[in-house]
């Protein structure tokens, strides 16, 4: 028996649309690797391990997979990317993956620069960035709405535990190895003081998404990178990008603004950001707004290797703090973590 239910809570319903690990039966076989976090890094790691024949489960505290690949849906059906707006490609490994996603029309080239054509493609995902995560999660054993609380080494196993929440019981699962892809300060809390993790800090971002009654002209491509605005750093038109059927604009704050307002009430942050967006709305009426706080948006330091193995190699850390602070970096880090375990097979 690998996963031990520690509560007799009733069978959870949605958002447990995927398998409920609390109910894993002995017949399901022992878990070899637990991946904590279903963002790009976690999903790519799980994919690489599953393809190599390992038994892997992925746990995420969110209601859906994707992490910082997040797409919000509005009452009028509009869609907006809340976190990453696009991605670029530098490495051969990522280029191969992106080419395969383009072949199936999951990914398309949005533009080659915002104020001018710099020749470097910016890629977007049909239906929003979260769709890439959904595609990566296909066929994997992923459970959402499980907020892992503790990761501890016990003998030759690593034990992962989570408390009761969202209608599911507390639980634990043990495995040969655990890949932790949550932002490093959060990983540090899960691992406790026995495990020393690299000291990596993050900058926050606030994301205000604004549904409008009509299209506005942001730029030829629909994106604007702002360098001198004290409040806003990026403007992205989800309609122009091809993500939304109607007009929804994503505004990202500067990290300074986010740091000063991160814990304020939503209405207060939204009001301040909305005032800053006015010059970009060309008088269009706001139909709905949604706000997303990203406490760990961008790692300030990037670890010099693509993943970090703790002493004994049973716990690996991966994510954009290891591969580089972008979608591509998270992808490469997830691959590196899977390779590390696959090599030891
Ligand atoms: C506002 C913003 C704009 C960005 N813009 C771009 C861009 O334009 N281009 C680009 O390339 N990159 C961009 N990025 C960066 C990019 O989104 C990230 O580099 C990448 O998505 C990180 O993936 P990850 O898997 O490392 O981490 P994450 O996506 O953060 O995944 C970590 C996962 O861990 C889960 N988790 C956390 N704690 C727990 C717990 N206790 N138990 C279970 N699960 C847990 C989270 O729910 C999350 O799903 C942007 C990021 C933000 C926030």
């Amino acid at each position: 028996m690998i996963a031990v239910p520690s509560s007799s809570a009733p069978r959870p319903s949605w958002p447990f649309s995927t398998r409920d690990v609390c109910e894993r039966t002995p017949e399901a076989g022992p878990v070899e690797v637990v991946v904590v976090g279903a963002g790009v890094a976690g999903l790519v790691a799980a994919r690489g391990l599953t393809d190599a024949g390992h038994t892997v489960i992925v746990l995420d505290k969110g209601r859906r997979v994707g992490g910082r690949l997040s797409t919000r849906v509005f009452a009028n059906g509009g869609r907006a990317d809340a976190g990453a707006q696009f991605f670029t490609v530098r490495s051969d490994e990522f280029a191969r993956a992106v080419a395969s996603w383009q072949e199936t029309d999951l990914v398309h080239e949005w533009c080659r620069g915002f104020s001018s054509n710099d020749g470097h493609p910016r890629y977007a995902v049909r239906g929003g960035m979260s769709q890439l995560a959904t595609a990566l999660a296909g066929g994997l054993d992923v459970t959402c709405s499980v907020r892992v609380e503790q990761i501890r080494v016990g003998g030759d196993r690593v034990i992962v535990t989570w408390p009761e929440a969202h209608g599911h019981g507390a639980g634990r699962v043990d495995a040969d190895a655990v890949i932790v892809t949550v932002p490093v300060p959060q990983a540090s809390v899960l691992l406790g003081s026995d495990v020393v993790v690299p000291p990596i800090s993050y900058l926050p971002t606030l994301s205000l998404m604004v549904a409008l009654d009509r299209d506005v002209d942001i730029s030829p491509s629909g994106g604007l990178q702002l360098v001198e605005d004290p409040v806003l750093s990026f403007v992205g038109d989800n309609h122009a990008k091809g993500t939304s059927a109607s007009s929804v604009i994503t505004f990202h704050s500067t990290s300074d603004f986010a740091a000063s307002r991160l814990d304020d009430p939503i209405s207060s942050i939204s009001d301040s950001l909305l005032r800053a967006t006015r010059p970009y709305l060309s008088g269009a009426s706001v139909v709905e707004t949604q706000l997303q706080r990203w406490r760990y948006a961008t790692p300030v330091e990037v670890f010099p290797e693509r993943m970090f193995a703790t002493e004994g190699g049973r716990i690996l850390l991966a994510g954009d703090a290891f591969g580089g602070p972008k979608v591509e970096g998270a992808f490469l880090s997830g691959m590196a973590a899977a390779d590390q375990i696959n090599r030891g097979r």
Side-chain angles (χ1 to χ4, degrees):
M1 179 70 173
I2 292 304
V4 183
S6 60
S7 157
S8 57
R11 185 188 171 82
S13 55
W14 190 90
F16 272 68
S17 53
T18 49
R19 201 172 309 167
D20 173 14
V21 291
C22 304
E23 295 180 355
R24 268 187 89 85
T25 61
E27 296 76 47
V31 174
E32 291 174 277
V33 185
V34 176
V35 176
V36 181
V40 180
L43 293 171
V44 168
R47 178 104 269 145
L49 290 164
T50 304
D51 288 352
H54 289 283
T55 306
V56 183
I57 65 168
V58 186
L59 304 174
D60 198 290
K61 70 176 183 183
R63 283 165 48 161
R64 296 178 188 82
V65 297
R68 281 172 273 167
L69 293 189
S70 162
T71 306
R72 293 288 193 99
V73 179
F74 286 72
N76 67 1
R79 301 172 75 85
D81 286 323
Q85 300 294 299
F86 60 89
F87 54 82
T88 47
V89 177
R90 285 169 200 273
S91 65
D92 291 344
E93 299 103 304
F94 195 48
R96 278 194 292 277
V98 173
S100 72
W101 299 333
Q102 278 186 287
E103 268 170 32
T104 57
D105 202 32
L106 174 65
V107 160
H108 65 100
E109 186 179 315
W110 173 16
C111 60
R112 296 197 172 202
F114 298 112
S115 48
S116 62
N117 182 338
D118 60 16
H120 296 293
R122 272 71 166 175
Y123 295 96
V125 182
R126 300 271 176 223
M129 298 295 274
S130 67
Q131 295 303 307
L132 176 58
T134 303
L136 289 172
L140 298 177
D141 187 341
V142 183
T143 304
C144 289
S145 299
V146 168
R147 183 186 287 266
V148 169
E149 186 176 50
Q150 212 174 66
I151 302 168
R152 293 288 182 272
V153 176
D156 61 354
R157 304 290 282 171
V158 189
I159 300 151
V160 176
T161 54
W162 59 93
E164 185 172 341
H166 300 299
H168 68 75
R172 57 168 260 172
V173 62
D174 60 76
D176 295 332
V178 175
I179 300 179
V180 187
T181 67
V182 313
V184 179
Q186 294 178 312
S188 174
V189 173
L190 302 183
L191 294 167
S193 53
D194 288 351
V195 179
V196 178
V197 302
I200 290 171
S201 55
Y202 289 70
L203 293 173
T205 299
L206 292 162
S207 177
L208 185 74
M209 290 146 281
V210 182
L212 300 173
D213 65 342
R214 63 173 170 82
D215 279 329
V216 292
D217 193 10
I218 296 296
S219 75
S221 60
L224 269 184
Q225 256 153 345
L226 307 173
V227 280
E228 288 183 358
D229 192 307
V231 178
L232 299 175
S233 64
F234 188 82
V235 186
D237 180 341
N238 293 279
H239 188 199
K241 186 165 67 168
T243 298
S244 178
S246 59
S247 178
V248 191
I249 316 293
T250 301
F251 294 92
H252 283 163
S253 77
T254 60
S255 53
D256 283 349
F257 179 84
S260 67
R261 301 294 300 275
L262 198 61
D263 295 313
D264 285 3
I266 285 179
S267 58
S268 158
I269 300 171
S270 298
D271 287 351
S272 300
L273 284 175
L274 201 50
R275 271 195 296 280
T277 70
R278 290 291 171 202
Y280 305 98
L281 301 187
S282 310
S285 295
V286 174
V287 177
E288 184 185 343
T289 63
Q290 294 190 27
L291 182 83
Q292 172 83 48
R293 299 173 220 245
W294 297 106
R295 188 172 298 276
Y296 301 106
T298 314
V300 178
E301 306 85 14
V302 174
F303 192 69
E305 286 163 32
R306 286 186 181 170
M307 54 105 220
F308 174 81
T310 62
E311 217 175 307
R314 292 196 176 277
I315 300 176
L316 307 182
L317 266 58
D320 64 347
F322 301 90
K326 292 180 173 193
V327 173
E328 178 171 21
F331 180 95
L332 295 173
S333 181
M335 274 181 76
D339 285 351
Q340 174 79 7
I341 292 177
N342 287 338
R343 272 201 304 272
R345 226 190 174 190

